[in-house]
Amino acid sequence: MRGDPCITPLAKALEGIPGGEEAQALLVLLPLGDAPLPKTITASLDALAKAHGDSLPKEAFPTLLDHAWDCAPLMRKLAARKEAPPEVLDRLAQHPEPTVRALVAFHPKAHPETLTVLYRDPTVPWWVLRGLVRNPNTPREVLEAIARAKWGREITERARVRLDATPGGNP
């Protein structure tokens, strides 16, 4: 396999996932010189999903997390998958790359506790808050804290609108 830090771990992970053979073949056949890494990863994930009726099998997520955690492009793709299980999003919320955590903040399957942890993380950039104020699972306490803070007019206003829309309850 190529020396790229994402390709080898992804290929290793695909060995243990049913239907991963076609995805592995794409990793070998798509030359990195002609296709940027995210396209290579997207093609491989799409091939794996196609082998399973257009969604990644549930066992693929933890396998990919375990083998390719350091491959940020792959983690971004996993965090953006609509079928990503909440427990996988919990793990991805701890990823060092802010874009991965932002995708978790926007994901409608993210647990309220995970969203609270994202809000309390002092290393999360302000733009992750956009996901939190838009996510229907964000706890009221987090929205209240965002509305009180000076995060910027757009984010603060959106939090206030969400709070006003559901007085006394969880938005």
Side-chain angles (χ1 to χ4, degrees):
M1 228 18 86
R2 297 180 191 101
D4 187 277
C6 289
I7 300 300
T8 302
L10 178 56
K12 187 75 174 157
L14 290 170
E15 288 175 7
I17 301 171
E21 302 81 15
E22 185 177 339
Q24 272 189 313
L26 281 173
L27 280 175
V28 173
L29 297 175
L30 283 175
L32 278 177
D34 297 336
L37 184 58
K39 183 176 180 181
T40 304
I41 288 172
T42 299
S44 295
L45 288 181
D46 288 347
L48 182 61
K50 186 176 180 185
H52 292 274
D54 288 328
S55 66
L56 292 178
K58 192 170 182 166
E59 67 268 14
F61 287 95
T63 302
L64 291 167
L65 288 176
D66 290 344
H67 288 299
W69 179 257
D70 293 330
C71 179
L74 176 59
M75 296 302 110
R76 288 192 298 270
K77 298 293 183 191
L78 292 179
R81 297 290 304 197
K82 67 180 185 297
E83 73 272 20
E87 53 277 359
V88 168
L89 297 170
D90 294 346
R91 284 182 65 190
L92 288 169
Q94 300 168 24
H95 197 274
E97 185 182 286
T99 305
V100 174
R101 293 180 289 181
L103 289 164
V104 172
F106 278 95
H107 204 291
K109 287 187 181 177
H111 287 129
E113 300 81 18
T114 301
L115 300 172
T116 300
V117 167
L118 281 173
Y119 175 72
R120 291 183 179 155
D121 181 350
T123 66
V124 170
W126 66 269
W127 43 269
V128 171
L129 298 174
R130 285 184 178 162
L132 294 175
V133 297
R134 291 183 176 148
N135 194 313
N137 297 330
T138 300
R140 182 171 190 82
E141 309 80 57
V142 172
L143 290 172
E144 288 170 347
I146 293 170
R148 284 191 307 268
K150 298 187 188 230
W151 291 106
R153 192 172 67 183
E154 175 201 344
I155 292 171
T156 303
E157 274 306 306
R158 190 175 289 271
R160 287 183 183 140
V161 166
R162 288 267 325 273
L163 288 166
D164 291 344
T166 57
N170 195 25

